[in-house]
Amino acid sequence: MAERSFANEVGKLRLGEGEEFRGEGILAVTKALLQSGVSYVAGYQGAPISHLMDVLTDANDILAELGVHFEHSASEATATATLAASVNYPLRGAVTFKSTVGTNVASDALANLASGGVTGGALLIVGEDYGEGSSIMQERSHAFAMKSQVWLLDPRPNLESMVAAVERGFELSEASNTPVMLELRIRACHVHGRFKTRANKRPAFTLKDAIENPKRDVNRIVLPPASYLHEQEKIAKRWPAAVHYIVEHGMNEFFAADAKDIGIVMQGGMYNGVLRALELLGLADPFGNSQVPLYVLNVTYPLVDEEFVRFCAGKRSILVVEEGQPDFIEQAVNTILRRADLNTRVHGKDVLPMAGEYTGGVLLKGVAEYVRRYEPGLLEGRPLPRAARAAPAKMADNPKAFAIQRAADQVQGRPPSFCTGCPERPIFSAIKLVERELGSHHISCDIGCHLFSVLPPFNIGATTMGYGLGWAGASALNTRETSRRTISIMGDGGFWHNGLTSGVGNAVFNETDNVLLVVDNGYSAATGGQDVLSSKAENPIRSTNNPIEKAVRGVGVKWVRTVTRTYSVAQMRDTLREALTTREKGPKVIVAQSECMLNKQRRVRPLMRKMIGEGKRVVRERFGVDPDTCTGDHSCIRLSGCPSLTIRDNPDPLRRDPVAAVIDSCVGCGLCGEVSHAAVLCPSFYRAEIINNPTAWDRFKARVRRALIGRLQRRIDRRLQGLAA
């Protein structure tokens, strides 16, 4: 069950010749694939391109009509290896995944694919997740393109350019026998716009044709001496062919190239931000008409020397807008210009940050500084935005900024955390309770929602080495010199991605005596809620309901426990304690199962709304705290961290400590009460039922309860008044 369904939008993929498409970038990219005659698509979900997989899933009927094969791959390496179908056959194939973590996983397959080269068009659509909002290490796809000599496209973030990049990407791949990588930033994936469509194309050469007419070319297999010849072919044939195609088809773009003797060179993905900065400075209009020459690199690798020489000839300087580090493009431009004996001054990371996301404010400040240095007259008399003005010499020169900074210093940071009702939260509450008994343990983390456990209030975990590498990250700590065991954590998505072999199989082979806890929430939750092998949901086009316990026993683990309700903190605590203290040697695996609450709410709420609308009786559970019973020690909050738990003023005038309270975002998971009982905290939590469309019997019971509770409450009030008198 994906985060979002495109079932109502995939009809746009049927648009024919000359019709107008209106919609989101990801859907437009899918349409471009079908217009290009793609034969097969594979991939692994991950921000910001998860929705591409979701669109393809919802469009399965359309793909079947066109004879397009689509797979959810086990990993990014699996997806990239799928492109092997284009090595010997004229089949256009596309794969997609998140970069750079996905590209890391895919790099072995990518290197082999790029070495031997391809016959059909091979396109890798990667989500460039770079910047402050990213959840991964801050690296760029550019390095992978350079390392394996794969051409890298970075189109302007509008639908026309992105669709053209897909179509030209296949042609560039075929013209140069080289895989092509197309990077899409999050804003490009979700930008809305329109473009004129072309008719979808069935592949002229089909997968059936390839299977029934097998071909092989030993020179495309990476074996000596062919591997040496591959490198020579890259330089002597493929690179020149790529440059020729890029120039001939005008893949890079020039705007107002001769308007001034300065200019701006940018990655295509930076175009919207640069143009907006120029517009705010009064140097461009909203329609793209710029007073400053622009050279837009829709292809950022390889760079075309002759285009740079032509653009820079006669210019005093250029500004290179290249997001991220190292400054690959800026260094290459300096080399190109020096070889051409051009004295054009190159600016880039001296006026723009070396690292970090190039947001609108960052670009405005950097572009303004560059123009101020070389063409100050262009800015004279213009009311500049605050971000573009020269910074005050001292904080005292800007009282407003000083006041904002003082206020910020007093605001407590709120770390990212689990969703309300998340079934993973009780797992870490249980770990904290076990550690209170047995002492601290080395905990090796993994990638996924559960990684939030490293932050308050749990503060659990020492390292994370990659998706599915939770147990592998503790491999060196497999020793018989101590009776204390390490704990490793892995999600169900990571388990099926890489963890079964790199973690579980490795632990069995090396006879580890440590513990793995697999968080099985039923979905690949962190990437949008897609199904995995062990999902309980029935999937019409995929095989689900394959138990994790069965898989780990299949590779040799003998001590396995499955907890089917993680909200039972006491059971989780006791199972963890058993795993950490049992005398039985060998790898120990705990499978902690409960459905992802976010996906559960997506599934259940529409059904409940429908039932309420039909007048049917619907019962919802909520939890609360009795303020008269609450002691105000807030252990429930420290051991749970649920966003629906907060504090309120104590109603008792004789007590100053604020009491715990449950706000309306509560989804009724019951964890707060479970934690309280497991930790022997307090009896202040109560469960309430909210009934929509109550029956006559429900109404009668409610009247009786109100009358009885009101009578008892009045007796207590009279007694308290008597004591006060």
Side-chain angles (χ1 to χ4, degrees), residues 324-393:
Q325 56 85 31
D327 50 348
F328 295 120
I329 297 175
E330 187 176 340
Q331 292 181 42
V333 172
N334 272 296
T335 301
I336 291 170
L337 297 185
R338 298 298 80 81
R339 285 176 177 170
D341 201 23
L342 288 178
N343 294 321
T344 305
R345 183 74 181 271
V346 179
H347 293 277
K349 299 299 184 183
D350 54 339
V351 295
L352 288 163
M354 172 59 79
E357 186 177 2
Y358 281 5
T359 60
V362 169
L363 286 171
L364 177 59
K365 185 176 180 180
V367 171
E369 173 61 25
Y370 172 71
V371 174
R372 190 179 290 116
R373 288 189 188 185
Y374 284 92
E375 290 284 353
L378 292 176
L379 303 179
E380 285 182 7
R382 298 185 186 274
L384 300 181
R386 181 177 291 116
R389 299 172 196 166

Side-chain angles (χ1 to χ4, degrees), residues 429-547:
S429 297
I431 292 176
K432 297 298 284 187
L433 293 174
V434 167
E435 289 198 320
R436 190 169 69 177
E437 298 177 37
L438 304 179
S440 297
H441 290 71
H442 175 85
I443 299 178
S444 175
C445 298
D446 206 300
I447 302 298
C449 299
H450 46 274
L451 191 56
F452 287 129
S453 64
V454 305
L455 301 172
F458 301 113
N459 302 302
I460 286 172
T463 57
T464 176
M465 288 292 104
Y467 197 33
L469 296 176
W471 214 356
S475 297
L477 305 179
N478 179 25
T479 177
R480 300 289 189 268
E481 295 179 2
T482 176
S483 60
R484 180 158 297 192
R485 290 167 175 145
T486 64
I487 302 172
S488 299
I489 299 169
M490 192 185 298
D492 47 356
F495 175 86
W496 293 114
H497 176 275
N498 192 26
L500 179 59
T501 53
S502 298
V504 181
N506 182 71
V508 171
F509 184 68
N510 288 291
E511 298 183 334
T512 185
D513 191 37
N514 294 317
V515 178
L516 170 67
L517 198 158
V518 181
V519 181
D520 182 6
N521 59 27
Y523 307 90
S524 185
T527 62
Q530 293 82 7
D531 288 339
V532 293
L533 273 163
S534 52
S535 293
K536 295 291 192 296
E538 292 293 335
N539 191 311
I541 61 173
R542 300 286 180 261
S543 173
T544 53
N545 283 285
N546 297 284

Side-chain angles (χ1 to χ4, degrees), residues 550-593:
K550 186 176 180 181
V552 299
R553 288 190 184 278
V555 295
V557 180
K558 295 180 175 57
W559 196 103
V560 188
R561 303 288 186 271
T562 296
V563 177
T564 57
R565 184 176 180 274
T566 63
Y567 296 106
S568 177
V569 179
Q571 185 183 3
M572 281 300 313
R573 176 200 59 198
D574 295 344
T575 306
L576 278 161
R577 186 197 298 118
E578 181 188 359
L580 292 169
T581 58
T582 180
R583 291 172 179 257
E584 185 175 338
K585 299 299 181 181
K588 283 157 276 289
V589 176
I590 300 172
V591 182
Q593 293 180 338

Side-chain angles (χ1 to χ4, degrees), residues 60-365:
N60 193 64
D61 291 345
I62 299 174
L63 301 181
E65 292 170 11
L66 294 169
V68 179
H69 176 66
F70 167 56
E71 282 196 0
H72 281 85
S73 304
S75 70
E76 297 86 354
T78 305
T80 305
T82 303
L83 291 172
S86 295
V87 170
N88 292 304
Y89 306 103
L91 295 167
R92 286 187 169 181
V95 300
T96 182
F97 43 78
K98 175 190 183 80
S99 191
T100 56
V101 284
T103 320
N104 285 335
V105 175
S107 60
D108 192 13
L110 180 59
N112 280 278
L113 182 74
S115 182
V118 294
T119 300
L123 187 67
L124 300 102
I125 304 171
V126 298
E128 187 76 350
D129 194 8
Y130 181 86
E132 186 180 354
S134 171
S135 62
I136 61 168
M137 75 290 288
Q138 294 296 278
E139 294 183 357
R140 299 168 57 191
S141 301
H142 202 102
F144 289 94
M146 295 172 65
K147 176 188 76 68
S148 297
Q149 217 159 96
V150 171
W151 315 138
L152 180 62
L153 310 186
D154 188 359
R156 289 194 290 143
N158 62 64
L159 266 55
E160 296 93 336
S161 296
M162 290 157 58
V163 168
V166 172
E167 296 173 344
R168 295 294 191 197
F170 280 120
E171 294 173 3
L172 174 61
S173 176
E174 291 162 346
S176 60
N177 301 120
T178 303
V180 171
M181 188 182 296
L182 168 62
E183 66 176 12
L184 296 173
R185 295 171 177 80
I186 189 166
R187 290 177 179 82
C189 290
H190 302 302
V191 70
H192 281 250
R194 58 188 178 181
F195 69 95
K196 292 293 182 183
T197 62
R198 296 192 297 109
N200 296 334
K201 293 193 326 189
R202 288 185 62 89
F205 187 88
T206 67
L207 296 172
K208 178 177 178 290
D209 293 331
I211 295 170
E212 294 179 354
N213 299 280
K215 292 181 181 179
R216 63 188 295 268
D217 182 354
V218 71
N219 291 321
R220 292 204 179 277
I221 299 174
V222 186
L223 280 172
S227 53
Y228 170 76
L229 298 175
H230 292 165
E231 185 182 29
Q232 300 304 307
E233 183 183 324
K234 285 180 179 180
I235 299 301
K237 294 182 180 178
R238 299 187 207 168
W239 188 301
V243 169
H244 177 75
Y245 182 91
I246 293 165
V247 173
E248 184 180 24
H249 292 84
M251 294 187 69
N252 296 321
E253 298 174 282
F254 298 87
F255 300 96
D258 300 317
K260 299 286 181 185
D261 62 355
I262 63 171
I264 302 177
V265 179
M266 72 206 73
Q267 296 164 299
M270 295 288 98
Y271 173 80
N272 287 5
V274 171
L275 194 70
R276 178 60 174 162
L278 290 171
E279 182 189 349
L280 291 172
L281 294 172
L283 303 178
D285 65 22
F287 304 101
N289 299 308
S290 173
Q291 297 179 34
V292 177
L294 306 178
Y295 176 27
V296 181
L297 300 174
N298 293 313
V299 183
T300 54
Y301 184 80
L303 300 177
V304 181
D305 293 21
E306 64 181 81
E307 290 187 348
F308 270 98
V309 171
R310 186 169 75 248
F311 181 74
C312 294
K315 288 184 172 57
R316 289 180 291 154
S317 72
I318 60 169
L319 172 66
V320 177
V321 179
E322 176 184 9
E323 185 177 56
Q325 56 85 31
D327 50 348
F328 295 120
I329 297 175
E330 187 176 340
Q331 292 181 42
V333 172
N334 272 296
T335 301
I336 291 170
L337 297 185
R338 298 298 80 81
R339 285 176 177 170
D341 201 23
L342 288 178
N343 294 321
T344 305
R345 183 74 181 271
V346 179
H347 293 277
K349 299 299 184 183
D350 54 339
V351 295
L352 288 163
M354 172 59 79
E357 186 177 2
Y358 281 5
T359 60
V362 169
L363 286 171
L364 177 59
K365 185 176 180 180

